[in-house]
Amino acid sequence: MSNTLKTALPGGFKPEGRHLWRPYTQMKTAQPALPVVSAGGVRLNLADGRSLIDGVSSWWTTVHGYSHPHIVGAICDQVERLSHVMLGGLTHAPAERLAARLAALAPGDLDHVFFCESGSVSVEIAMKMAVQSWINRGVHGRTRFVCFRGGYHGDTIATMSVCDPEEGMHALFAGSLPQQIVADLPQDSESTARFEALLDAHAHEIAGVVTEPLVQGAGGMRFFSPETLRTIRAACDARGLPLIVDEIMTGFGRLGTMFACEKAGIVPDVMTVSKALTGGTLPLAAAIASRGMFEHFWRDEASAALMHGPTYMGNPAACAAANASLDLFEREPRLDQVAQIEAAYARLLPPARDIPGVVDVRWQGAIGVIEMPGLPELDALKSGFVEAGVWVRPFGNIVYLMPPYVISQEDLEHLIRTTVAVTRAWAEHHFGAG
Ligand SMILES: *Cc1c(COP(=O)(O)O)cnc(C)c1O
């Protein structure tokens, strides 16, 4: 099917489909993208007049819903006053204030905030911090990272190298990626022993360990226990290895606490945040370093400075948006709303367990998951959701929900029930009626 629409759609929107190269998309065969003309609350308004309940918060970002007036107001005020200024040699109140607030919110002594514009880059910066922290101490040859099967940390070259080697793009980009050390998550005594043996076998070359906390997101929404995260922290402590915890998906309430690390009671050496940081309005990310990590860079020699500086780092409008988002976490009951979403999953997701072929149904915080044996004819399933008025984006072998925290009980129940019903109808077609 050609994805070139010749006619103008309402609102003057003309998706020509020829010049815009879309993400993870085979442009030759893909169905046309749905034109969105506006969005408010939890609803996406399409050019053809339909509206969809967003069940995935626009790639896990819009936790306060779309166009929250407090964030929109803060951005507009800031853009009028100072829309951008370089952070080299200059500073501004929105970045200073946001850094201080993030330092206060983040667990333990995570006190030093380095801004950038995307999650992947924040992970790259965390990795550079780890590598350079050794160089600054005169220790050479520590350049590799230990990461975990099932993990996801971004799409850039270095972050691809710490993603799951099978799920990720390793095979495709083999040869151009740094070779990292991939471990299974230490979930029992046997896997813990293997993890620790791996750390010891590569002792002289490891720069640090990278993990998502308590849930591997893009790797398939796989939950793991706080105990596992504590095991990873303890193994790093015993060997003096920096631990990078990637809270890009979990940060800002996703699992019911502000950061997932809190649930395990651990403090990383560097924590990365992005996605919900600006409430899904403007791109912004940060690598937040502990006092100990920062001290490795606190030297008289200029050469010991952290060698990084993205052009748009700490953009004032993005920082104003993030400050406004944090205001909303203070003023409105966001974490209670996450608890209500979790309670609705507990009531309404279990019936999905008898969907033909279903492998697992699970939930935690704002994340609800129906795991299937696979998702053949994914386009048909995706279209089924749109026809039913919900925006749900299954991937890999899972159908999952991660709605904005502000979703009303009524919309939430409708979203969950619709998701289960559409998945069931599709599964009955593909896996038989049981
Ligand atoms: C989304 C995500 C990233 C990448 O963030 P981008 O902003 O897409 O570069 C990294 N780590 C985790 C855990 C993520 O969920």
Side-chain angles (χ1 to χ4, degrees):
M1 184 202 277
S2 160
N3 58 0
T4 303
L5 296 184
K6 294 264 158 50
T7 47
L9 291 160
F13 197 119
K14 266 196 268 176
E16 301 285 348
R18 289 200 307 131
H19 300 291
L20 181 66
W21 201 338
R22 294 193 270 133
Y24 310 112
T25 301
Q26 175 43 263
M27 296 297 290
K28 186 170 180 187
T29 56
Q31 297 182 330
L34 294 175
V36 178
V37 289
S38 65
V42 300
R43 283 181 167 71
L44 300 168
N45 303 316
L46 304 185
D48 64 9
R50 287 180 294 173
S51 84
L52 306 177
I53 296 181
D54 184 354
V56 297
S57 305
S58 264
W59 271 338
W60 322 343
T61 61
T62 52
V63 293
H64 313 287
Y66 290 89
S67 307
H68 194 292
H70 182 62
I71 305 184
V72 171
I75 293 172
C76 292
D77 286 353
Q78 186 57 47
V79 167
E80 283 184 357
R81 206 169 318 125
L82 174 68
S83 56
H84 183 64
V85 69
M86 62 191 275
L87 269 197
L90 300 170
T91 189
H92 54 81
E96 296 282 354
R97 177 149 182 265
L98 181 60
R101 289 175 87 180
L102 288 173
L105 268 178
D109 65 349
L110 290 166
D111 278 356
H112 302 277
V113 182
F114 196 98
F115 289 116
C116 57
E117 322 86 335
S118 82
S120 300
V121 172
S122 70
V123 175
E124 296 245 354
I125 292 166
M127 292 169 75
K128 281 178 73 170
M129 284 175 178
V131 168
Q132 203 185 335
S133 74
W134 293 106
I135 296 169
N136 284 359
R137 281 174 277 173
V139 179
H140 296 278
R142 286 187 174 268
T143 54
R144 298 178 72 191
F145 287 86
V146 175
C147 54
F148 296 96
R149 239 172 281 287
Y152 175 81
H153 300 285
D155 287 355
T156 57
I157 298 280
T159 57
M160 273 196 290
S161 79
V162 289
C163 290
D164 181 278
E166 263 110 64
E167 288 291 314
M169 293 164 273
H170 280 248
L172 187 59
F173 290 95
S176 58
L177 303 188
Q179 294 299 300
Q180 311 296 10
I181 300 155
V182 186
D184 290 320
L185 282 168
Q187 311 223 50
D188 54 27
S189 55
E190 195 258 333
S191 51
T192 300
R194 273 189 285 125
F195 171 58
E196 293 183 343
L198 202 63
L199 293 184
D200 293 332
H202 294 274
H204 57 288
E205 55 175 351
I206 299 174
V209 176
V210 189
T211 187
E212 291 158 276
L214 307 192
V215 54
Q216 294 183 312
M221 304 296 166
R222 285 181 273 210
F223 298 113
F224 63 90
S225 71
E227 191 51 42
T228 291
L229 192 54
R230 284 193 287 270
T231 301
I232 297 170
R233 176 71 276 184
C236 289
D237 284 343
R239 293 160 182 83
L241 292 172
L243 174 62
I244 297 167
V245 173
D246 179 352
E247 291 253 14
I248 290 171
M249 191 272 269
T250 48
F252 308 103
R254 198 81 59 188
L255 297 183
T257 49
M258 212 52 184
F259 300 101
C261 284
E262 294 167 35
K263 292 198 146 186
I266 65 124
V267 182
D269 298 276
V270 188
M271 181 171 96
T272 54
V273 293
S274 185
K275 294 217 161 85
L277 173 58
T278 62
T281 54
L282 292 171
L284 186 67
I288 310 177
S290 68
R291 238 170 275 156
M293 175 56 77
F294 183 74
E295 274 163 14
H296 296 309
F297 295 82
W298 181 262
R299 297 283 159 83
D300 292 325
E301 312 88 70
S303 61
L306 177 64
M307 283 300 164
H308 206 90
T311 306
Y312 276 96
M313 74 179 287
N315 170 264
C319 289
N323 276 312
S325 174
L326 294 183
D327 294 342
L328 293 176
F329 274 98
E330 287 168 10
R331 292 178 200 167
E332 298 183 7
R334 287 293 173 269
L335 300 185
D336 294 344
Q337 290 167 326
V338 173
Q340 280 165 25
I341 293 172
E342 186 174 67
Y345 289 147
R347 285 197 311 279
L348 300 171
L349 272 184
R353 292 204 164 112
D354 61 13
I355 289 176
V358 79
V359 173
D360 188 33
V361 175
R362 56 183 178 269
W363 58 86
Q364 203 182 123
I367 308 170
V369 186
I370 304 173
E371 184 175 330
M372 301 300 295
L375 298 175
E377 286 182 51
L378 192 54
D379 282 348
L381 180 58
K382 286 178 177 171
S383 307
F385 287 125
V386 171
E387 279 155 27
V390 295
W391 184 243
V392 179
R393 298 290 285 176
F395 69 88
N397 62 344
I398 61 164
V399 175
Y400 77 97
L401 291 175
M402 217 192 271
Y405 306 163
V406 297
I407 191 169
S408 69
Q409 275 299 309
E410 195 189 342
D411 282 344
L412 178 59
E413 291 183 5
H414 176 72
L415 172 67
I416 301 171
R417 287 205 173 95
T418 304
T419 301
V420 172
V422 170
T423 307
R424 183 185 301 281
W426 170 88
E428 282 172 357
H429 181 71
H430 286 281
F431 302 108

